[in-house]
């Protein structure tokens, strides 16, 4: 009999298992994968994601093999904003959500999942969790309408049964736990992006770059093995045409969104792997907990990749869920109290507003004139650029930055500087041009 069985041993599962084991609980964590291995992800970790690794004592191991930076370039329709997530906002984030602000770092990194997930799995084992890989969960044991364990198959075909006080579903967006319990999805957002990416050697950008033009976007981020992850994305309505010629349209999208990046990749880049892609990123939420089970990570909330937040959210869930479960397992709270505190922190207004922000961005509508005007107004205002980047990364609340009074203040402040507006005298023509499918 375990205290907890965790299904899934990647960002949310290995972390939850590690944190529970460190608090002295008897934990089994299983995964049908073996490690090291990759999973579909472009693996960018914002500074709060890096801070979680630092809080858990794992950051040094990651940084030994992964380049990290602090400043990021965000270029929207040619308007370049360079900044970083401020330390005071990171500290406020950790204090509000977790009650202490230890371990804050301002760096971000792009860590291949074969590297990161292996570090997490090893840390879970080192903390005392029993790790079984190549182990596929085939059934949940339910007694008196409560989940009390799992049945699964080992790599040599043996069927085994294990029991625990709680089963944690950290099993990704197609969660076996959720499907078996027939959990509903809610607030589904079918409109999402298509995303294609690969790995290039031969150049080294100084910072990560995020570019957006019209309905398309691209990014370049240095990653492990002296390579760069180069990603393009666009609205799912254009995916059929994009797929007709993936290598050609990938380069075409880069050239359109950022001619400099397109040229860098063409002239200096050597592609080291195939081009990976996904069309399936419709967002949804699921219930967080029930009798004998709790969900963390993508299993409870899946979102489009366009703000690169899923791994950081998986770490957040691991800290929140393990702290709540620890209070119950140690006798400091009833299970209902523990789960209510997890739910309260996970499903507050800020979380709902950020979910909406990601899902709206994922529709990839061309920026409106007032949105572009905001980017122009930000130029030269470093404090507010940094706050915008922190907001985009879900460190600062979306509702605060985008509230009308703040936008008025930003516009007023811009009038005092040389930034000025309006921008884009040919906005109407540009906007029409952006509606056309580049790949048709
Ligand atoms: C195209 C794309 C790009 C992305 N880019 C980023 C990014 O740049 N930054 C970012 O933060 N996030 C990104 N994400 C999101 C991120 O990858 C996920 O949010 C993250 O992987 C969620 O972690 P998880 O541990 O909850 O689930 P997963 O990583 O999906 O892990 C679930 C694990 O559960 C195991 N499992 C499932 N069912 C069973 C079973 N029955 N028995 C045993 N094991 C089982 C699986 O084998 C798997 O290892 C991206 C996602 C996509 C699709």
């Amino acid at each position: 009999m375990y205290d907890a069985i965790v299904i899934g041993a990647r960002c949310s599962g290995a972390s939850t298992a590690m944190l529970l084991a460190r608090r002295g609980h008897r934990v089994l964590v299983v995964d049908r994968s073996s490690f090291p291995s990759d999973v579909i992800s472009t693996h960018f970790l914002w500074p709060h994601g890096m801070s979680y690794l630092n809080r858990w004592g794992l950051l040094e191991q990651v940084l030994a093999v992964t380049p990290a930076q602090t400043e990021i370039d965000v270029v929207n329709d040619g308007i370049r904003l360079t900044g970083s997530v401020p330390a005071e906002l990171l500290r406020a984030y950790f204090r509000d959500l977790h009650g202490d602000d230890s371990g804050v770092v301002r760096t971000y990194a792009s860590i291949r999942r074969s590297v990161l997930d292996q570090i997490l799995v090893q840390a879970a084992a080192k903390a005392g969790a029993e790790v079984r890989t190549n182990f596929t969960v085939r059934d949940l044991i339910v007694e008196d309408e409560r989940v009390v364990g799992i049945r699964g198959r080992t790599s040599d075909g043996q069927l085994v049964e294990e029991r625990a006080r709680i089963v944690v579903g950290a099993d990704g967006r197609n969660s076996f736990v959720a499907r078996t319990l027939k959990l509903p999805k809610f607030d589904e957002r079918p409109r999402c992006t298509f995303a294609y990416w690969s790995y290039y050697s031969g150049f080294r950008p100084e910072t990560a770059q995020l570019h957006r033009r019209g309905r398309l976007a691209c990014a370049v981020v240095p990653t492990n093995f002296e390579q760069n992850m180069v990603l393009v994305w666009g609205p799912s309505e254009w995916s059929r045409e994009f797929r007709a010629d993936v290598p050609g349209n990938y380069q075409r999208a880069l050239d359109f969104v950022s001619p400099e990046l397109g040229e860098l990749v063409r002239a200096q880049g050597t592609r080291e792997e195939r081009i990976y892609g996904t069309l399936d990123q419709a967002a949804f939420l699921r219930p967080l907990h029930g009798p004998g089970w709790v969900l963390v990570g993508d299993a409870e909330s899946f979102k489009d990749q366009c703000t690169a937040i899923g791994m950081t959210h998986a770490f957040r869930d691991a800290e929140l869920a393990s702290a709540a479960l620890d209070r119950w397992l140690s006798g400091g709270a009833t299970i209902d109290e523990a789960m209510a505190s997890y739910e309260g922190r996970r499903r507050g207004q800020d979380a709902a507003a950020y979910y909406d922000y990601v899902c709206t961005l994922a529709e990839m509508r061309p920026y409106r004139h007032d949105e572009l005007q905001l980017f122009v107004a930000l130029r030269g205002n470093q404090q507010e650029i940094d706050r915008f980047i922190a907001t985009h990364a879900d460190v600062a609340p979306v509702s605060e930055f985008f509230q009308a009074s703040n936008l008025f203040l930003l516009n007023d402040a811009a009038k005092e500087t040389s930034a000025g507006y309006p921008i884009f005298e040919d906005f109407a023509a540009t906007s029409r041009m952006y509606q056309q499918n580049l790949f048709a």
Side-chain angles (χ1 to χ4, degrees):
M1 176 83 170
Y2 293 91
D3 291 323
I5 294 175
V6 182
I7 308 174
R10 292 190 186 271
C11 290
S12 59
S15 313
T16 305
M18 174 193 70
L19 293 169
L20 284 172
R22 282 184 181 176
R23 291 175 191 244
H25 302 297
R26 193 156 175 250
V27 182
L28 170 66
V29 52
V30 300
D31 201 301
R32 64 183 172 209
S33 308
S34 59
F35 295 87
S37 58
D38 264 324
V39 68
I40 286 200
S41 181
T42 51
H43 46 78
F44 180 86
L45 210 52
W46 288 101
H48 45 333
M50 299 285 275
S51 302
Y52 283 112
L53 291 175
N54 198 35
R55 285 158 76 84
W56 306 339
L58 304 177
L59 189 60
E60 249 178 61
Q61 230 178 312
V62 168
L63 292 181
V65 292
T66 316
Q69 286 134 339
T70 305
E71 286 214 317
I72 189 163
D73 266 356
V74 181
V75 188
N76 287 314
D77 290 299
I79 307 160
R80 181 179 298 267
L81 303 173
T82 303
S84 54
V85 180
E88 65 273 19
L89 293 182
L90 283 162
R91 280 197 290 270
Y93 165 92
F94 278 100
R95 274 197 306 274
D96 287 352
L97 208 52
H98 301 292
D100 80 277
D101 61 6
S102 61
V104 160
V105 292
R106 295 183 60 219
T107 47
Y108 62 81
S110 168
I111 317 159
R112 289 295 293 257
R113 295 294 293 270
S114 54
V115 174
L116 178 65
D117 295 357
Q118 167 82 338
I119 290 174
L120 294 169
V121 167
Q122 284 172 345
K126 194 168 168 217
E130 185 181 330
V131 180
R132 291 190 207 163
T133 56
N134 293 310
F135 183 105
T136 306
V137 177
R138 292 291 173 86
D139 209 356
L140 297 177
I141 306 171
V142 181
E143 288 173 358
D144 298 331
E145 298 185 359
R146 183 178 189 82
V147 177
V148 293
I150 59 167
R151 283 189 201 91
R153 204 172 277 286
T154 60
S155 53
D156 54 10
Q158 240 184 307
L159 203 58
V160 295
E161 193 173 300
E162 300 291 359
R163 285 171 180 257
R165 294 178 70 191
I166 189 92
V167 170
V168 181
D171 48 351
R173 66 171 139 164
N174 297 318
S175 170
F176 173 82
V177 174
R179 281 183 289 122
T180 307
L181 296 173
K182 297 191 172 40
L183 301 181
K185 288 180 179 172
F186 59 95
D187 204 354
E188 289 180 74
R189 308 291 182 97
R191 295 186 69 181
C192 57
T193 70
F194 68 82
Y196 284 84
W197 68 98
S198 192
Y199 298 90
Y200 289 81
S201 61
F203 56 88
R204 207 67 180 161
E206 280 173 17
T207 61
Q209 299 170 23
L210 302 178
H211 297 264
R212 167 92 184 250
R213 187 171 173 218
R215 304 198 69 190
L216 292 172
C218 65
V220 57
V221 195
T223 183
N224 307 97
F225 318 122
E226 305 284 317
Q227 293 172 9
N228 303 287
M229 193 282 302
V230 180
L231 164 73
V232 304
W233 70 97
S236 49
E237 305 95 273
W238 291 5
S239 62
R240 199 162 54 88
E241 291 79 6
F242 188 96
R243 277 163 64 206
D245 171 18
V246 170
N249 284 331
Y250 176 86
Q251 184 66 48
R252 221 165 147 219
L254 287 175
D255 290 338
F256 173 78
V257 180
S258 168
E260 303 79 30
L261 181 56
E263 182 55 22
L264 188 67
V265 167
R266 193 190 355 263
Q268 295 181 36
T270 304
R271 182 152 62 79
E272 301 289 352
E273 294 183 28
R274 70 180 177 86
I275 299 176
Y276 303 92
T278 183
L279 311 174
D280 170 21
Q281 295 194 77
F284 60 82
L285 301 173
R286 285 192 179 112
L288 280 173
H289 59 89
W293 59 270
V294 58
L295 300 185
V296 288
D298 277 9
E300 60 98 352
S301 164
F302 179 75
K303 298 160 292 293
D304 194 273
Q305 59 72 40
C306 65
T307 64
I309 199 66
M311 292 154 62
T312 297
H313 277 178
F315 289 167
R316 172 203 62 193
D317 289 1
E319 264 212 24
L320 290 176
S322 60
L325 289 173
D326 172 58
R327 285 210 302 134
W328 166 60
L329 290 167
S330 314
T334 64
I335 185 69
D336 289 347
E337 287 165 350
M339 290 298 98
S341 82
Y342 176 51
E343 176 134 22
R345 280 162 197 268
R346 271 299 293 105
R347 292 278 156 85
Q349 267 184 357
D350 290 345
Y354 189 75
Y355 179 78
D356 196 56
Y357 175 76
V358 175
C359 295
T360 305
L361 268 188
E363 293 179 11
M364 298 299 287
R365 286 181 301 220
Y367 281 123
R368 298 186 310 264
H369 190 272
D370 58 307
E371 292 169 317
L372 294 171
Q373 186 169 300
L374 169 67
F375 298 133
V376 171
L378 283 172
R379 282 192 308 205
N381 187 344
Q382 195 58 51
Q383 194 178 334
E384 290 299 320
I385 291 174
D386 290 350
R387 190 147 80 100
F388 166 67
I389 292 172
T391 303
H392 183 75
D394 197 25
V395 172
V398 164
S399 53
E400 283 178 17
F401 185 84
F402 289 104
Q403 67 179 312
S405 57
N406 191 46
L407 301 182
F408 280 126
L409 283 176
L410 290 172
N411 271 319
D412 275 354
K415 282 185 205 155
E416 313 286 317
T417 71
S418 56
Y421 64 87
I423 51 163
F424 288 172
E425 278 155 17
D426 58 347
F427 179 76
T430 317
S431 178
R432 264 197 308 282
M433 190 259 285
Y434 283 168
Q435 300 287 354
Q436 287 160 15
N437 186 341
L438 185 74
F439 314 109

